[in-house]
Amino acid sequence: MDLHMRRLGLGDAEQFRQMETGIENDYVVRIFDKLVQEDLLYGAFYENELIGIAGITVYEIQYAILGRLRTRVHDRGKGVARKLFRFLVSQLRQNPHIKWIGYATEESNIPANSIASHLSMDCIAKIYSSKLNRTGSGHFASLDSDTDDWQEIKGCKEKKLLFKQAMEESGMNFFPYAVYYPLPAYPEDISDDYLSGCRMWARNGRFFCLMPEEKGESYFHLKYFWNDIFEQTGLWKKAIRLAEREDRVIWFDMSESMFRSLPEKQWFETTAWHLIGEPLKEEKIDEVDCV
């Protein structure tokens, strides 16, 4: 199948809306105009018909995340997704600022996982993305704890240093940058804009962050780096209180060791994800077994 690849624009909106993807209430349809103006969205065309799309989101100038992969139902199994991702990777490799290219996909998404081998990419981390549910909230809210001993950290310089120390100390093999968008490492030059948006509290050599995000639902993205997370009763009570005040759901990306230490799986709605990518430039990232 001979495909033509190009960046999409506002003039492609109607053709995308007509492309049958099998995805109900697809958020990409709702925000298509915004994506093509503020982000990078590419299309695969066959005989002038749009049959697949994929996007690029660049974080902190250096980390390129592939995503928003959609293939027309009629054309699945024909290598469209693979060819799209290969095209995007070839474009990104020409950018001297990009040091890592990759994507995150659900463990159960066999086609998306299988693309990795065609791109010479490895599994970097297995991540358990979890939404705290009513059962979990009720459990933590019922425990006795004083939440006032967590002191808020407001300076970007201190936040940046604490993040760096936590990643080194904990040995976590991904950085929970954003909901749906983990990174393979802590960005050394993380922006002050990002740090300013992340509310942070510290106590006794530990800290946690809450980042407000809008991803279909209103979330507080909780960031914590140590396996004693479920022993931190005051942390959970404070986070739950703030989430309820702003009508947000708590999203927490767990490492494998955190997930194993979770006392009750029923506290969260959890989905296992694979972070897949190819180290570039001087970056050295270890491959892990994600099966």
Side-chain angles (χ1 to χ4, degrees):
M1 180 181 283
D2 187 19
L3 299 178
H4 170 62
M5 313 283 191
R6 66 167 173 82
R7 186 172 177 181
L8 298 177
L10 292 172
D12 299 301
E14 183 58 31
Q15 198 171 172
F16 173 62
R17 280 191 284 270
Q18 296 299 320
M19 190 179 88
E20 179 55 53
T21 64
I23 302 174
E24 294 185 11
N25 301 316
D26 189 356
Y27 80 96
V28 175
V29 174
R30 295 195 303 273
I31 65 170
F32 182 86
D33 288 0
K34 180 180 179 181
L35 287 175
V36 297
Q37 293 180 89
E38 300 179 8
D39 223 325
L40 298 171
L41 199 64
Y42 288 81
F45 292 81
Y46 179 68
E47 296 183 347
N48 295 319
E49 287 191 31
L50 181 64
I51 64 171
I53 69 163
I56 301 170
T57 304
V58 178
Y59 289 109
E60 303 296 336
I61 303 175
Q62 303 174 89
Y63 296 91
I65 309 296
L66 311 178
R68 302 190 175 98
L69 185 62
R70 308 284 189 276
T71 303
R72 192 169 68 177
V73 172
H74 176 72
D75 296 289
R76 288 178 182 169
K78 299 179 182 179
V80 176
R82 182 175 69 249
K83 291 175 182 177
L84 257 173
F85 266 15
R86 275 181 173 169
F87 174 77
L88 297 188
V89 169
S90 69
Q91 298 295 302
L92 288 165
R93 284 176 178 161
Q94 300 174 42
N95 186 330
H97 300 292
I98 300 298
K99 66 191 299 185
W100 187 84
I101 305 168
Y103 64 98
T105 186
E106 292 184 22
E107 184 178 49
S108 60
N109 190 335
I110 304 302
N113 279 281
S114 66
I115 291 175
S117 61
H118 297 284
L119 301 174
S120 300
M121 290 183 176
D122 297 321
C123 186
I124 305 301
K126 186 172 181 177
I127 302 165
Y128 293 87
S129 294
S130 306
K131 293 194 291 185
L132 185 68
N133 58 30
R134 289 184 178 181
T135 302
S137 293
H139 166 77
F140 288 115
S142 68
L143 300 177
D144 293 330
S145 178
D146 180 7
T147 61
D148 293 334
D149 52 352
W150 288 87
Q151 301 300 312
E152 187 165 8
I153 305 296
K154 295 188 176 181
C156 290
K157 186 175 182 180
E158 188 173 0
K159 290 178 183 178
K160 185 174 184 178
L161 179 60
L162 287 171
F163 271 138
K164 185 175 187 296
Q165 291 175 341
M167 287 292 290
E168 293 173 350
E169 182 181 320
S170 67
M172 209 153 87
N173 59 354
F174 70 93
F175 181 74
Y177 187 86
V179 171
Y180 298 124
Y181 291 98
L183 298 181
Y186 172 64
E188 291 289 339
D189 297 321
I190 195 166
S191 68
D192 283 353
D193 283 346
Y194 180 86
L195 295 170
S196 296
C198 190
R199 297 185 62 185
M200 179 182 289
W201 293 266
R203 182 190 69 172
N204 298 333
R206 295 283 192 264
F207 71 87
F208 74 97
C209 293
L210 293 175
M211 175 77 82
E213 296 192 42
E214 303 298 327
K215 297 286 177 64
E217 289 186 82
S218 295
Y219 292 108
F220 261 147
H221 190 197
L222 171 65
K223 306 175 198 295
Y224 190 85
F225 299 86
W226 298 271
N227 290 336
D228 61 4
I229 175 66
F230 302 111
E231 301 169 19
Q232 303 293 339
T233 306
L235 178 159
W236 286 105
K237 289 176 74 72
K238 189 177 190 71
I240 290 168
R241 189 179 74 245
L242 292 170
E244 289 177 345
R245 182 183 300 167
E246 298 189 20
D247 195 24
R248 295 183 180 275
V249 175
I250 293 176
W251 176 292
F252 179 49
D253 289 315
M254 302 185 203
S255 65
E256 290 188 82
S257 57
M258 285 177 180
F259 186 71
R260 287 194 298 268
S261 69
L262 176 58
E264 295 289 344
K265 303 297 190 287
Q266 64 184 9
W267 294 345
F268 295 88
E269 298 171 17
T270 300
T271 303
W273 290 72
H274 291 168
L275 179 59
I276 293 167
E278 178 189 41
L280 297 179
K281 312 299 189 209
E282 75 282 359
E283 190 79 12
K284 176 64 174 71
I285 301 171
D286 295 328
E287 176 184 355
V288 300
D289 184 3
C290 282
V291 297

